[in-house]
């Protein structure tokens, strides 16, 4: 009988590597939110994660590689948090964005503000905008071919407005959510009266 402990050591090594990767990604995300992009270094990520610099380099290669790894890691979390489009009910749509922005607004704000700093950040911002539009198109299928109305829906549900309401104007999240729902209703009502061509 083979009593070699090798399989256990290999499993422990794999679990340790997975744990290191998770810590690296968590540290990177925190630093991306806290600091300007040019002040986030692989060494700072390593220090925050409690691993060696070479461990970070082996996992992600470069800072753009780090951004790509963080994006791949958080994408399923973002999608799960936003959930499936609830249909065209303004209150339910606003509630979905409240949950989404309550968790992700700081990271989204940093990404959008610094997207010209890195190809990976630019790709992340573009993917976020495309995902936002795709989610709204699924929620409001009757309006997606009306460019004026759909553009307004994109604007009133965007993180930029959410930040104005909550961060700059100091509204409670409940009031910001109610404002977004009100604006969605207004967009839909205006579309009904204006009859925009597709």
């Amino acid at each position: 009988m083979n009593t070699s402990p090798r399989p256990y050591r290999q499993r422990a090594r794999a679990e340790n590597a997975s744990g290191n990767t998770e810590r690296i990604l968590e540290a990177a995300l925190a630093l991306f939110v806290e600091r300007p992009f040019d002040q986030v270094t692989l060494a700072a990520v390593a220090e925050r994660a409690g691993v060696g610099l070479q461990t970070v380099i082996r996992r992600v290669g470069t800072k753009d590689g780090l951004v790509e790894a963080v994006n791949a890691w958080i994408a399923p979390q973002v999608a799960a948090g936003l959930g499936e489009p609830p249909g065209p009910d303004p209150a339910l749509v606003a509630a979905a964005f409240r949950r989404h922005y309550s968790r992700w607004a700081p990271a989204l704000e940093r990404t959008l503000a610094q997207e010209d700093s890195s190809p990976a950040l630019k790709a992340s911002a573009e993917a976020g905008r495309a995902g936002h539009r795709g989610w709204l198109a699924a929620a409001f299928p009757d309006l997606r071919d009306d460019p004026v109305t759909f553009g307004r829906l994109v604007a009133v549900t965007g993180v930029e407005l959410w930040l104005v309401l909550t961060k700059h104007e100091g509204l409670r999240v409940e009031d910001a959510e109610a404002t977004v729902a009100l604006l969605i209703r207004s967009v839909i009502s205006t579309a009904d009266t204006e009859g925009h061509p597709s």
Side-chain angles (χ1 to χ4, degrees):
M1 176 184 293
N2 182 4
T3 58
S4 168
R6 177 179 291 176
Y8 300 103
R9 286 199 300 267
Q10 290 174 336
R11 188 178 315 122
R13 215 174 294 131
E15 289 171 358
N16 185 52
S18 176
N20 283 345
T21 299
E22 186 93 357
R23 286 193 297 277
I24 289 166
L25 297 173
E26 288 173 352
L29 179 59
L31 288 169
F32 284 140
V33 171
E34 292 171 14
R35 303 178 183 180
F37 184 71
D38 61 1
Q39 293 178 18
V40 177
T41 64
L42 296 184
V45 171
E47 182 179 358
R48 176 73 64 96
V51 301
L53 175 58
Q54 287 305 313
T55 299
V56 175
I57 293 171
R58 278 196 302 272
R59 296 291 191 284
V60 300
T62 65
K63 194 156 75 168
D64 263 0
L66 181 64
V67 173
E68 291 166 0
V70 170
N71 288 342
W73 176 61
I74 67 173
Q77 301 174 54
V78 171
L82 189 54
E84 292 297 319
D89 183 318
L92 294 179
V93 170
F97 280 111
R98 172 191 173 178
R99 292 190 304 272
H100 178 54
Y101 293 143
S102 292
R103 170 67 180 92
W104 296 107
L108 294 171
E109 179 182 25
R110 277 289 193 184
T111 300
L112 293 174
Q114 303 183 105
E115 64 178 299
D116 291 333
S117 302
S118 145
L121 282 177
K122 172 71 84 176
S124 176
E126 290 174 352
R129 284 189 282 264
H132 185 82
R133 290 189 192 98
W135 193 92
L136 286 171
F140 298 95
D142 294 341
L143 299 176
R144 64 185 172 196
D145 293 326
D146 175 347
V148 173
T149 300
F150 193 72
R152 289 171 176 168
L153 286 174
V154 170
V156 301
T157 58
V159 70
E160 298 88 349
L161 176 62
W162 186 263
L163 289 165
V164 168
L165 295 172
T166 58
K167 183 175 179 180
H168 304 300
E169 296 303 316
L171 269 65
R172 298 176 312 149
V173 292
E174 295 85 357
D175 295 326
E177 177 185 343
T179 301
V180 171
L182 175 68
L183 291 170
I184 293 171
R185 288 189 194 95
S186 177
V187 167
I188 294 170
S189 174
T190 301
D192 290 340
T193 59
E194 289 182 349
H196 297 122
S198 60

